[in-house]
Amino acid sequence: MVTPRTATSGVPATLRRLGVRPSKRLGQNFLCDPRVARRIAGLIPDPLEPVLEIGPGLGALSMELCATGRPFVAIELDFRLAEHMEGSLRPYPHARVVRGDVLDHRIADLLPEADRVTVIGNLPYSITTPALEWILEQKERVGCALLMVQREFAERLTARPGSKEYGSISVFVGLNAEVRNRFRVSPGAFYPRPEIDSTVLEVIPRPYPGTTDGEREAASRLARASMGTRRKTLANAIALGLKFGADEARALLAEARLDPVRRGETLSLEEFVALARAWIRRGRPGAAA
């Protein structure tokens, strides 16, 4: 766990000068510990690896990444922070800032000459799931992603079947990536200081062995349906989530050799894949729901 010995270093003053008031609603917490920035940058073994940074803020991490001369793009939604970053990155000819929402862009357009990139971001809770889905949808372009997220969210991504943290996002990520906890970051590394710890995750896109894109998409859809209402049996949750009859749900589970009275949160990735294959064979009833 990284615990800074000093508080923020000029961050509040810089934000005031820019007219930026950190938004609690948007989860804006600015990284201000240079040791954390250096440690994250050090997780990329190739100093010339192209990098896309989501939400650079004041550039604490950006400066570490640009110093090597690598191709670098930072995408920033707040125009005041984007303007600040444009000035900070001026000495680096291979670095640039794109203004806007990352979800409105594609990696191939942001870094067109790079076959594969590393994606980095200190992600507010509100955009963590959409950003993760955005990254994995473009897995052919992403070598890995280094994401700083709330500790509770990190626990959900690495949760085991049957645990209270295990949910549909655990299934989706497990089907599409390998996730590694790299290190924990204390609240004192940020301004304003958040209430909980953060975790730096390494997310390496890779499909669950032996599956197709369609099977993984179907398994994720079934996970959302089966876990949409906890404490319901698997048969009832699927029937409700996909809006088809209980008999059809039981027949689907029988074909997948799954007990209809189990709970969705107890199913392993392998069992969700088996359920997805049975669903596909049966013509995906309820798929339009």
Side-chain angles (χ1 to χ4, degrees):
M1 181 174 181
V2 176
T3 304
R5 288 170 293 182
T6 59
T8 60
S9 53
V11 171
T14 301
L15 292 173
R16 284 195 298 271
R17 177 172 57 82
L18 297 174
V20 175
R21 296 183 64 182
S23 169
K24 186 173 183 180
R25 180 179 63 84
L26 296 177
Q28 287 183 316
N29 301 100
F30 295 86
L31 179 64
C32 56
D33 187 341
R35 292 172 299 171
V36 176
R38 286 193 294 270
R39 189 169 178 184
I40 294 173
L43 294 174
I44 309 174
D46 182 354
L48 297 181
E49 170 83 6
V51 168
L52 169 65
E53 184 178 11
I54 301 172
L58 294 177
L61 182 53
S62 311
M63 299 302 103
E64 292 287 338
L65 297 167
C66 291
T68 65
R70 60 166 36 99
F72 175 85
V73 171
I75 184 159
E76 176 57 62
L77 183 61
D78 189 307
F79 75 93
R80 295 161 299 183
L81 295 174
E83 186 175 39
H84 171 78
M85 284 301 304
E86 286 167 350
S88 298
L89 296 182
R90 200 164 288 129
Y92 305 101
H94 298 291
R96 66 188 180 98
V97 179
V98 173
R99 302 187 186 199
D101 188 335
V102 68
L103 303 180
D104 294 333
H105 295 268
R106 305 299 292 174
I107 294 173
D109 298 325
L110 295 168
L111 285 158
E113 296 181 1
D115 292 331
R116 295 173 77 83
V117 307
T118 292
V119 178
I120 285 184
N122 173 22
L123 301 181
Y125 184 81
S126 61
I127 72 160
T128 304
T129 296
L132 190 55
E133 291 174 342
W134 182 85
I135 290 166
L136 294 178
E137 285 169 1
Q138 302 173 88
K139 55 185 176 295
E140 69 283 352
R141 286 275 183 169
V142 181
C144 81
L146 298 169
L147 307 176
M148 189 145 51
V149 302
Q150 288 187 4
R151 178 170 57 90
E152 285 83 352
F153 190 88
E155 291 171 351
R156 289 171 59 197
L157 295 190
T158 56
R160 299 295 182 186
S163 66
K164 66 178 182 179
E165 294 84 9
Y166 188 67
S168 59
I169 189 65
S170 316
V171 176
F172 169 74
V173 172
L175 290 168
N176 292 283
E178 179 182 350
V179 181
R180 301 171 183 168
N181 285 330
R182 297 310 301 249
F183 60 92
R184 188 177 294 182
V185 183
S186 74
F190 303 93
Y191 177 84
R193 183 187 178 103
E195 295 179 358
I196 60 174
D197 290 348
S198 296
T199 298
V200 174
L201 296 175
E202 182 179 22
V203 180
I204 303 171
R206 60 110 187 92
Y208 189 78
T211 60
T212 65
D213 288 346
E215 288 169 344
R216 293 192 300 278
E217 182 277 328
S220 296
R221 175 79 180 276
L222 288 160
R224 290 194 300 272
S226 65
M227 299 187 203
T229 307
R230 292 219 173 206
R231 295 182 297 277
K232 278 191 176 294
T233 65
L234 193 53
N236 289 341
I238 288 177
L240 179 64
L242 294 180
K243 302 189 187 311
F244 57 62
D247 290 343
E248 178 65 49
R250 284 191 289 270
L252 171 62
L253 292 166
E255 184 166 340
R257 298 184 178 180
L258 293 172
D259 188 341
V261 301
R262 286 178 63 181
R263 302 294 191 266
E265 54 269 27
T266 69
L267 267 62
S268 66
L269 294 181
E270 184 179 7
E271 288 173 318
F272 273 117
V273 169
L275 184 59
R277 288 170 175 161
W279 190 43
I280 292 169
R281 286 194 299 269
R282 298 178 70 84
R284 293 173 61 113

